[in-house]
C-alpha cells in the first residue's frame, strides 16, 4: 500500500505472498480490517504477551465448544437425526454424550490447567450448548429442510482432500485453504455453511458487501465448488 518502500523488502513480500501462496480466510479478513495488524502478526510474527492464567482462555474455550459440536453433529449425521422440535430431547441426549467424550481429555488436548472452577465451567458450557441446540430445533420447527452433512470440512489442508480453492477476481487471483465447521444439505442438494463463533463479534449484510466478513462468503464458495 505504498508504506514499505525498500525494494528488498518489497521483493521479499511479493515472493512470500505471490500467486502460489495459500491463504486462510481468517488472514484475509485480518488484512482487510487492519493491514498493519496483519503485518505485525503475520510478517513480523509479533505476539501480545499474555498473563499466565489458570483455567480456560477465550481461544481454548472456543476450541472446546467446536470439538463438542463436531462430535455431536457427527453422531446426528450417522443416526440420520434432523434438528427439529420433535427430536430435541434425543439431540440433547447426544449432546451430553458428546460432552462426556470431550471433557475428560480437554485439559491435555487444549493445554490448560484445570482450576477449582473446572467442574462449574463444564456445566456452564453444557448449558450454553443446550441453549444453542434448543434454539436451532425451535427455528426448524417440526420439519428441518437442512440436515447435518459434513463437519470440519477441510480444503487445501490435506493431500488426500480437496486442494486449495482458486479464487479469481477482476484484477487478481489467490489460493485459499480452510476448515468449515459444518455443512448442511437439503433433499435437493442445496448446501448451507455454518461457522461457529463463541465471541461477541457479529457481521451484518452490509459488512459482507464491504468485504469486511470474508470468511463466510469464501467458505460458501468452497462448499459450492467442492461439495455441491
Amino acid at each position: 500500500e505504498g508504506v514499505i518502500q525498500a525494494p528488498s523488502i518489497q521483493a521479499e513480500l511479493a515472493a512470500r505472498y505471490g500467486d502460489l501462496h495459500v491463504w486462510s480466510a481468517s488472514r484475509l479478513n485480518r488484512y482487510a480490517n487492519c493491514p498493519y495488524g496483519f503485518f505485525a502478526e503475520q510478517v513480523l510474527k509479533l505476539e501480545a504477551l499474555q498473563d499466565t492464567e489458570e483455567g480456560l482462555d477465550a481461544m481454548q474455550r472456543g476450541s472446546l465448544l467446536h470439538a463438542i459440536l463436531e462430535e455431536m453433529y457427527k453422531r446426528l449425521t450417522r443416526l440420520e437425526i434432523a434438528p427439529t422440535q420433535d427430536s430435541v430431547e434425543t439431540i440433547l441426549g447426544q449432546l451430553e454424550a458428546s460432552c462426556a467424550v470431550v471433557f475428560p481429555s480437554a485439559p491435555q488436548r487444549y493445554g490448560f490447567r484445570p482450576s477449582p472452577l473446572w467442574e462449574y465451567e463444564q456445566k456452564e458450557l453444557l448449558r450454553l450448548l443446550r441453549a444453542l441446540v434448543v434454539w436451532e430445533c425451535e427455528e426448524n420447527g417440526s420439519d428441518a429442510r437442512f440436515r447435518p452433512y459434513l463437519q470440519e470440512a477441510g480444503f487445501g489442508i490435506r493431500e488426500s482432500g480437496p486442494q486449495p480453492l482458486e479464487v479469481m477476481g477482476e484484477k487478481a487471483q489467490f489460493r485459499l485453504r480452510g476448515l468449515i465447521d459444518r455443512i448442511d444439505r437439503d433433499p435437493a442438494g442445496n448446501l448451507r455453511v455454518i461457522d461457529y463463533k463463541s465471541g461477541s463479534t457479529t457481521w451484518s449484510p452490509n459488512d459482507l458487501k464491504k468485504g469486511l466478513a470474508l470468511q463466510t462468503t469464501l467458505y460458501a464458495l468452497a462448499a459450492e465448488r467442492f461439495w455441491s
Side-chain angles (χ1 to χ4, degrees):
E1 302 199 349
V3 177
I4 297 175
Q5 299 182 14
S8 60
I9 300 178
Q10 289 183 352
E12 167 66 22
L13 294 176
R16 185 182 301 188
Y17 298 106
D19 293 340
L20 297 179
H21 181 73
V22 180
W23 291 85
S24 67
S26 59
R27 289 185 179 182
L28 284 173
N29 224 61
R30 181 60 168 147
Y31 181 80
N33 282 276
C34 181
Y36 181 79
F38 174 88
F39 178 76
E41 295 168 6
Q42 303 300 326
V43 179
L44 300 182
K45 302 298 183 183
L46 300 179
E47 296 182 3
L49 293 177
Q50 302 292 334
D51 293 332
T52 301
E53 295 182 359
E54 192 174 38
L56 289 164
D57 61 24
M59 184 173 295
Q60 292 164 336
R61 183 172 179 270
S63 297
L64 181 52
L65 289 170
H66 274 68
I68 296 170
L69 289 170
E70 179 189 0
E71 173 69 22
M72 185 191 74
Y73 280 106
K74 281 183 177 179
R75 289 167 174 260
L76 299 184
T77 301
R78 289 196 302 268
L79 297 172
E80 298 183 350
I81 297 175
T84 66
Q85 286 181 325
D86 299 332
S87 61
V88 62
E89 293 301 325
T90 301
I91 296 176
L92 290 175
Q94 293 298 324
L95 171 62
E96 293 188 7
S98 299
C99 288
V101 170
V102 175
F103 280 151
S105 61
Q108 294 77 24
R109 182 176 180 182
Y110 300 108
F112 65 92
R113 184 160 53 92
S115 72
L117 295 176
W118 173 229
E119 290 296 326
Y120 168 78
E121 289 173 328
Q122 293 177 69
K123 294 177 181 178
E124 179 63 12
L125 292 173
L126 175 58
R127 184 190 68 81
L128 292 173
L129 291 171
R130 284 178 63 90
L132 174 64
V133 166
V134 171
W135 173 83
E136 181 175 355
C137 290
E138 289 178 348
E139 285 288 304
N140 289 335
S142 59
D143 183 21
R145 174 187 167 193
F146 286 94
R147 291 174 177 249
Y149 174 49
L150 295 172
Q151 291 78 43
E152 299 296 315
F155 58 95
I157 297 176
R158 307 176 185 91
E159 293 184 3
S160 59
Q163 296 305 297
L165 176 69
E166 301 281 348
V167 181
M168 306 292 293
E170 294 181 359
K171 298 181 180 180
Q173 66 183 57
F174 61 91
R175 305 168 77 221
L176 182 76
R177 60 178 170 83
L179 196 64
I180 303 174
D181 291 337
R182 174 177 149 200
I183 300 176
D184 292 353
R185 185 171 66 176
D186 71 2
N190 297 304
L191 302 179
R192 177 174 66 182
V193 171
I194 295 177
D195 186 60
Y196 302 125
K197 296 296 183 189
S198 58
S200 59
T201 300
T202 60
W203 301 110
S204 68
N206 196 42
D207 292 326
L208 293 172
K209 293 178 182 178
K210 290 181 178 180
L212 299 178
L214 299 173
Q215 188 168 7
T216 302
T217 304
L218 291 170
Y219 280 6
L221 181 63
E224 181 183 45
R225 185 78 54 84
F226 297 126
W227 292 287
S228 62

